[in-house]
Amino acid sequence: MRPILWGTIWFVIGMMGWIVFSFIWGTGKGLGVEVPTSLTALVYFFGILFYLSLPVSIIAEIICWIRKKRE
């Protein structure tokens, strides 16, 4: 599969994970419950995955395109 397709898949996974864990984290904070550090780490992990998946896949796609062009 092409890098842009993998990037789109990871983008959707990151987006859904970020939405779910941010909702859980925000609800816990709103209710005054102490939020575990592991939940905060999941919010950050999926946020970074959501944010960086497409730019990295676009760069990988450009690299593949340049390598094909040279052949």
Side-chain angles (χ1 to χ4, degrees):
M1 283 198 302
R2 309 249 340 204
I4 196 70
L5 184 59
W6 280 110
T8 305
I9 291 169
W10 287 113
F11 176 81
V12 171
I13 291 170
M15 177 181 57
M16 296 305 291
W18 182 75
I19 289 170
V20 167
F21 289 114
S22 291
F23 178 77
I24 295 169
W25 187 86
T27 304
K29 278 292 204 183
L31 293 174
V33 178
E34 188 169 332
V35 180
T37 308
S38 59
L39 184 60
T40 306
L42 284 172
V43 171
Y44 282 119
F45 171 74
F46 282 106
I48 289 171
L49 182 67
F50 171 58
Y51 185 71
L52 294 178
S53 60
L54 285 180
V56 169
S57 66
I58 289 171
I59 290 170
E61 189 73 33
I62 290 171
I63 290 170
C64 288
W65 180 74
I66 290 171
R67 285 184 181 166
K68 268 189 189 174
K69 194 89 165 168
R70 287 184 183 171
E71 292 177 356

